[in-house]
């Protein structure tokens, strides 16, 4: 019934198994890939023909985690998986980026890759497994895919590179780097690091590329046995006559347009040229879809050729110069921290909000539920590129850019013990012409320091580009949007003056050598140091005190056996304190209590109320209390926190008392002295030993008179 094929190897001390022929047999390609006991089903399907009028490759990659993979039931009312989590979205992008450039030129059929996590051993992250499996499914499918793609995770522990560190090892690693590529070269890098040098980062990429070579061989050996017949490669039609016609009409005008440094003006000129070409060709009976492709190629040839030949760029810069920078802080008076970072025609307004432990994000991951105290949200409204379009919820691009900036900043944040705040940063991209994610990194660093977050060092980021034609190449610093679209590499590097904290690389062509990457890293370091210098002119270190509108958090500790008393039955006591003082209070299991309040008096009152609750009464001390209950034999007085004591009828006054209510009423404030505490913790109090007007200890006067 089944024609099963299986390949297995030892990889990093764990078995890697790729199987096909058992599950999802109606997909064009399907593999079940296992690493350790993490299992992912990967499928690939493409439509047999392309849609008319499509001039782009409609590839969709979906990575999905099933809760049953870790023996869990989803939360929520419906108890089933819903919208993709951030991890699922980011992993989908991780798979998409290295496989997208490897489809045959001209292949425009709608294609979908789905990777489903079926089992998670809580040691091996499924993302690397899914990336390899998705590539393997495409390789077996017959779809014109020029793979396979291999991938590996690289850690750096005790000055040693570690292949595919498990989840526990990653917690102590100073590097978390994912590299993907082919036998010929690297296609994608994604990483976060703790201020590592460029040399260490480059060697990590090289190490990862070397380590995934056997995986490529394993996939190829499986494909040699069971791959489906390859689809016919798409026919590349000869459009030389059309190219010549478009070139005659547009080349001179396009060259003039690309001499215009201002983005909007340049785009308006190019749009007018494109419209003229389309109108002319329509009159001549030409294909507008083909013409659009030819026009894009002409643009690409003009921009790339000019840069290679002259080393001058669209906006007149040389290859290493960073655009003019403006850094401003403290723009928004009510925000806890704010900054505007502008680099050329790219601008980010970044705002920091300080919160308490109650504001932490609860993340229900397959591995375990955990809390995140640092959140960074990136928004890209249409007006930032001069467009009017529908405002949608954050998509894959927004989530990916935000996560890249998050990785760049995270290693520099203070510990929760040193700065007990929850941090939320929002980056609003108000202008965009190249590398808004790196502007977000710079703006976030300034905004956090403006909010008095004691970062170890400022962080800056820069995007690098590449123009590569055979052996001739140029590395570009601080790329424009056009240089990104028409270039061969998008290489983003973020870090401090000491080292790299995040690196992301997407390569669109084969042939990017280690030397090219080394040149790009060194040129990025120069640019990063320049940007940091410009940022330091605005703010070089964190402010000493938090904004007047930010909560002040005070930490105190109480005995663990007193936690229940502070919380109260059903949380009544702690709620009452919060309502009376307008403070927020977080209580941890070890007795640590954090009190947050925007006004000092609110925090002080809350602290005093808590201390009153946990304080132990001392014999001989005088307290101000309130009568909470009267009985025939005496009155119970609440005199310290939730602690009550009994004033016997004989201790109410220095005279004979016939009825307790003749002396005190419920709710009345009285001064009492602690006479004693018995073995059961019951407290004996006295009113007659205290002058109710002055609070003086009358028993001491009597002792003095006796002497």
């Amino acid at each position: 019934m089944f024609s099963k094929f299986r390949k297995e190897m030892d990889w990093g001390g764990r078995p890697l198994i790729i199987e096909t022929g058992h599950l999802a047999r109606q997909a064009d390609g399907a593999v079940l890939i296992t690493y350790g006991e993490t299992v992912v089903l990967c499928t690939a399907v493409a439509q047999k023909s392309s849609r008319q009028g499509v001039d782009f490759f409609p590839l969709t990659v979906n990575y999905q985690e099933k809760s049953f993979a870790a023996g869990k039931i989803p939360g929520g009312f419906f108890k089933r998986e819903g919208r993709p989590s951030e991890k699922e979205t980011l992993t989908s992008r991780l798979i998409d980026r290295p496989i997208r450039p490897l489809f045959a030129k001209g292949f425009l059929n709608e294609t979908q890759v789905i990777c489903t996590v079926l089992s998670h051993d809580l040691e091996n992250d499924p993302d690397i497994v899914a990336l390899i499996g998705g590539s393997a499914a495409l390789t077996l499918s017959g779809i014109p895919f020029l793979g396979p793609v291999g991938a590996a995770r690289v850690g750096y522990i005790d000055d040693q590179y570690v292949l595919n560190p498990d989840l526990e090892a990653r917690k102590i690693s100073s590097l978390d780097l994912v590299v993907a590529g082919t036998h010929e070269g690297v296609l994608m890098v994604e990483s976060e690091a703790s201020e590592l040098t460029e040399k260490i980062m480059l060697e990590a990429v090289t190490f990862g590329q070397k380590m995934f070579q056997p995986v490529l061989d394993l996939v190829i050996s499986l494909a040699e046995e069971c791959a489906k017949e390859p689809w016919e490669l798409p026919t590349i039609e000869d459009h030389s006559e059309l190219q010549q016609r478009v070139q005659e009409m547009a080349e001179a005008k396009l060259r003039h347009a690309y001499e215009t440094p201002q983005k909007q003006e340049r785009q308006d000129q190019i749009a007018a040229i494109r419209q003229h070409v389309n109108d002319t060709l329509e009159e001549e009976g030409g294909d507008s879809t083909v013409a659009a492709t030819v026009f894009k190629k002409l643009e690409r040839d003009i921009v790339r050729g000019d840069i290679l030949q002259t080393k001058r760029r669209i906006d007149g810069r040389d290859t290493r110069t960073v655009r003019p920078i403006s850094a401003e802080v403290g723009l928004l008076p009510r925000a806890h921290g704010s900054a505007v970072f502008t680099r050329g025609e790219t601008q980010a307004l970044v705002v920091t909000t300080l919160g308490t432990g109650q504001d932490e994000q609860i993340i229900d991951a397959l591995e375990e539920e955990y809390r995140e105290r640092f959140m960074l949200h990136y928004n890209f409204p249409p007006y930032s590129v001069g467009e009017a379009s529908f405002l949608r919820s954050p998509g894959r691009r927004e989530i990916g850019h935000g996560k890249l900036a998050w990785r760049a900043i995270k290693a520099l944040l203070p510990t929760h013990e040193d700065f007990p705040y929850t941090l939320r940063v929002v980056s609003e991209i108000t202008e965009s012409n190249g590398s808004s994610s790196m502007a977000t990194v710079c703006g976030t660093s300034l905004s956090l320091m403006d909010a008095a977050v004691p970062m170890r060092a400022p962080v800056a980021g820069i995007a690098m580009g590449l123009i590569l034609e055979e052996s001739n190449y140029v590395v570009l610093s601080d790329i424009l949007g056009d240089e990104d679209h028409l270039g061969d590499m998008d290489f983003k590097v973020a870090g401090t003056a000491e080292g790299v904290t995040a690196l992301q690389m997407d390569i669109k062509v084969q042939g990017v050598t280690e030397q090219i990457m080394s040149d790009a890293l060194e040129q990025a370091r120069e640019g990063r140091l320049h940007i940091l210098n410009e940022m330091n002119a605005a703010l070089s270190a964190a402010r000493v005190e938090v904004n007047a509108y930010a909560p002040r958090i005070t930490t105190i500790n109480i005995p663990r056996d007193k936690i229940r008393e502070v919380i109260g039955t059903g949380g009544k006591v702690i709620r009452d304190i919060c309502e009376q003082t307008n403070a927020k209070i977080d209580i941890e299991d070890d007795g640590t209590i954090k009190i947050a309040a925007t006004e000092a008096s609110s925090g002080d009152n809350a602290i005093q109320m808590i201390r009153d609750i946990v304080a132990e009464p001392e014999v001989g001390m005088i307290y101000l209390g309130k009568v909470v209950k009267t009985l025939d034999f005496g009155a119970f007085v609440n005199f310290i926190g939730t602690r009550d004591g009994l004033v016997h009828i004989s201790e109410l006054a220095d005279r004979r008392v016939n009825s307790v209510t003749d002396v005190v009423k419920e709710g009345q404030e009285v001064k009492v002295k602690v006479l004693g505490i018995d073995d059961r913790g019951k407290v004996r109090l006295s009113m007659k030993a205290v002058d109710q007007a002055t609070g003086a200890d009358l028993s001491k006067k009597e002792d003095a008179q006796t002497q």
Side-chain angles (χ1 to χ4, degrees):
M1 184 175 181
F2 302 108
S3 297
K4 298 182 183 179
F5 298 87
R6 170 189 170 105
K7 294 290 180 180
E8 180 176 353
M9 63 176 283
D10 181 85
W11 192 40
R14 281 147 284 178
L16 175 68
I17 304 167
I18 306 178
E19 304 172 81
T20 190
H22 186 200
L23 299 179
R25 291 174 296 161
Q26 296 186 48
D28 290 327
V31 300
L32 191 69
I33 180 167
T34 303
Y35 191 48
E37 292 184 347
T38 292
V39 183
V40 184
L41 174 65
C42 302
T43 62
V45 176
Q47 298 292 350
K48 298 304 181 281
S49 61
S50 62
R51 289 179 293 177
Q52 292 296 319
V54 172
D55 61 351
F56 65 95
F57 177 38
L59 170 67
T60 303
V61 177
N62 296 102
Y63 167 88
Q64 50 188 5
E65 296 181 335
K66 298 298 183 181
S67 294
F68 61 69
K72 298 175 67 175
I73 295 175
F77 183 80
F78 292 104
K79 297 297 178 186
R80 68 177 298 164
E81 290 83 2
R83 61 177 295 179
S85 66
E86 182 180 271
K87 167 72 181 296
E88 290 172 313
T89 299
L90 293 170
T91 306
S92 297
R93 282 172 51 87
L94 194 76
I95 299 168
D96 183 300
R97 286 157 49 198
I99 67 174
R100 185 176 288 272
L102 294 182
F103 286 86
K105 185 178 180 181
F107 181 71
L108 301 179
N109 299 24
E110 187 170 351
T111 304
Q112 185 177 42
V113 176
I114 299 177
C115 301
T116 307
V117 180
L118 303 181
S119 177
H120 192 345
D121 61 10
L122 308 183
E123 293 182 4
N124 300 292
D125 198 315
D127 56 0
I128 297 293
V129 186
L131 202 164
I132 295 169
S135 163
L138 286 165
T139 303
L140 300 181
S141 68
I143 295 169
F145 174 70
L146 309 180
V149 170
R153 171 170 270 108
V154 180
Y156 193 65
I157 303 173
D158 296 331
D159 298 331
Q160 297 291 324
Y161 295 109
V162 180
L163 173 63
N164 296 334
D166 61 25
L167 295 178
E168 284 301 314
R170 285 166 64 181
K171 294 178 181 178
I172 61 171
S173 176
S174 57
L175 172 68
D176 184 11
L177 180 143
V178 174
V179 57
T182 64
H183 280 305
E184 288 72 29
V186 172
L187 290 170
M188 185 273 295
V189 176
E190 184 80 50
S191 69
E192 61 179 282
S194 298
E195 294 185 279
L196 299 180
T197 66
E198 282 75 9
K199 182 176 183 291
I200 291 174
M201 297 298 291
L202 181 58
E203 289 177 352
V205 173
T206 305
F207 173 83
Q209 183 188 13
K210 179 181 177 182
M211 290 297 103
F212 68 60
Q213 297 303 311
V215 177
L216 292 169
D217 295 335
L218 188 74
V219 175
I220 291 171
S221 68
L222 180 64
E224 288 173 345
E225 293 184 12
C226 61
K228 294 181 179 179
E229 287 297 316
W231 295 19
E232 288 188 15
L233 292 175
T235 302
I236 306 299
E237 298 181 15
D238 181 10
H239 300 301
S240 56
E241 291 185 8
L242 182 60
Q243 289 175 358
Q244 182 65 31
R245 182 75 179 105
V246 171
Q247 191 169 346
E248 291 172 358
M249 286 189 291
E251 181 177 7
K253 295 178 180 178
L254 279 175
R255 289 189 181 280
H256 177 73
Y258 275 112
E259 291 174 355
T260 304
Q262 206 278 330
K263 176 189 173 184
Q264 289 294 335
E265 185 179 345
R266 181 173 66 251
Q267 287 187 339
D268 290 343
Q269 291 181 30
I270 294 171
I273 298 167
R274 186 186 298 111
Q275 188 63 50
H276 169 69
V277 169
N278 286 341
D279 292 344
T280 303
L281 290 176
E282 280 186 11
E283 293 175 3
E284 297 174 357
D287 188 327
S288 59
T289 302
V290 176
T293 303
V294 171
F295 190 87
K296 286 180 182 177
K297 183 180 183 305
L298 179 59
E299 285 187 87
R300 183 176 185 274
D301 291 344
I302 290 172
V303 172
R304 294 167 60 89
D306 285 352
I307 292 175
L308 282 171
Q309 291 172 18
T310 67
K311 304 299 187 289
R312 305 296 296 179
R313 298 157 68 178
I314 297 170
D315 58 0
R317 285 181 292 152
D318 60 26
T319 59
R320 307 180 87 92
T321 300
V322 176
R323 288 172 289 174
I325 290 172
S326 169
E328 308 164 77
V329 295
L331 273 78
L332 307 178
R334 287 277 177 166
H336 301 161
S338 60
V340 173
F341 179 84
T342 308
R343 187 187 57 245
E345 295 172 298
T346 296
Q347 185 181 76
L349 168 63
V350 188
V351 184
T352 296
T353 305
L354 305 180
T356 68
Q358 298 174 23
D359 300 309
E360 291 178 346
Q361 184 177 14
I362 301 173
I363 298 177
D364 185 18
L366 274 188
E367 298 84 0
E368 61 182 355
E369 183 179 283
Y370 65 95
R371 292 176 174 266
E372 180 56 63
R373 62 179 287 257
F374 172 45
M375 294 158 279
L376 197 157
H377 298 145
Y378 166 104
N379 297 313
F380 193 87
Y383 65 76
S384 64
V385 287
E387 295 179 357
S389 63
F390 188 72
L391 272 178
R392 294 180 174 85
S393 58
R396 289 187 176 188
R397 181 180 184 276
E398 285 80 6
I399 293 172
H401 280 25
K403 190 65 174 182
L404 174 59
W406 181 91
R407 290 188 177 111
I409 296 291
K410 185 173 182 290
L412 282 306
L413 293 177
T415 65
H416 197 223
E417 290 71 26
D418 292 336
F419 195 72
Y421 287 89
T422 296
L423 309 174
R424 182 185 185 231
V425 175
V426 177
S427 174
E428 297 286 341
I429 302 304
T430 49
E431 296 180 29
S432 180
N433 184 16
S435 192
S436 55
S437 62
M438 294 297 95
T440 294
V441 171
C442 301
T444 297
S445 178
L446 291 167
S447 178
L448 286 167
M449 292 192 297
D450 186 50
V453 179
M455 296 176 62
R456 292 209 314 268
V459 185
I462 186 170
M464 312 298 294
L466 173 72
I467 306 295
L468 174 64
E469 295 289 349
E470 297 179 353
S471 61
N472 189 14
Y473 71 90
V474 175
V475 176
L476 307 176
S477 294
D478 181 25
I479 55 176
L480 303 172
D482 288 334
E483 292 168 340
D484 184 5
H485 303 148
L486 302 174
D488 298 317
M489 179 177 72
D490 183 11
F491 193 10
K492 298 183 176 77
V493 187
T496 67
E498 298 300 320
V500 175
T501 58
L503 185 154
Q504 183 184 87
M505 179 169 61
D506 291 305
I507 299 175
K508 307 168 189 176
V509 294
Q510 301 287 342
V512 175
T513 64
E514 184 176 339
Q515 183 60 52
I516 293 176
M517 288 190 286
S518 177
D519 291 347
L521 277 168
E522 176 56 29
Q523 200 164 313
R525 189 185 70 84
E526 294 176 7
R528 186 174 78 244
L529 294 178
H530 167 73
I531 295 170
L532 282 168
N533 187 57
E534 296 292 315
M535 291 167 56
N536 288 340
L539 188 63
S540 59
R543 300 195 187 280
V544 178
E545 293 186 356
V546 298
N547 183 289
Y549 299 104
R552 264 71 171 174
I553 295 182
T554 305
T555 301
I556 63 174
N557 292 281
I558 65 171
R560 295 180 64 178
D561 58 359
K562 295 290 185 180
I563 294 175
R564 181 175 297 179
E565 295 180 32
V566 175
I567 295 175
T569 304
K572 182 180 185 305
V573 174
I574 198 71
R575 279 199 307 272
D576 288 345
I577 297 174
C578 291
E579 290 174 1
Q580 292 178 40
T581 63
N582 289 322
K584 288 185 177 182
I585 302 173
D586 294 327
I587 303 179
E588 299 176 9
D589 293 339
D590 63 354
T592 300
I593 299 182
K594 295 183 176 66
I595 301 97
T598 53
E599 296 183 7
S601 59
S602 296
D604 292 342
N605 292 339
I607 292 170
Q608 188 58 52
M609 293 175 74
I610 292 171
R611 285 179 171 159
D612 287 346
I613 293 171
V614 301
E616 291 292 338
E618 297 182 35
V619 175
M621 290 292 293
I622 294 173
Y623 299 91
L624 176 66
K626 181 180 290 186
V627 178
V628 294
K629 191 173 184 180
T630 58
L631 298 169
D632 293 341
F633 55 84
F636 283 96
V637 176
N638 173 243
F639 68 100
I640 180 171
T642 59
R643 200 71 180 266
D644 296 344
L646 174 65
V647 180
H648 191 268
I649 192 171
S650 62
E651 293 292 335
L652 286 173
D654 57 358
R655 65 180 190 278
R656 179 179 176 82
V657 177
N658 294 320
S659 174
V660 171
T661 54
D662 290 343
V663 180
V664 294
K665 301 288 190 297
E666 289 186 10
Q668 180 180 338
E669 287 191 345
V670 296
K671 298 178 180 67
V672 293
K673 179 179 180 179
V674 178
L675 299 179
I677 305 171
D678 65 19
D679 295 340
R680 295 175 296 175
K682 293 187 176 181
V683 183
R684 293 185 296 111
L685 303 174
S686 172
M687 284 177 56
K688 72 178 184 181
V690 184
D691 186 322
Q692 294 299 309
T694 65
D697 189 343
L698 298 178
S699 60
K700 290 184 178 180
K701 291 182 179 180
E702 292 177 1
D703 292 342
Q705 291 173 357
T706 302
Q707 293 175 359

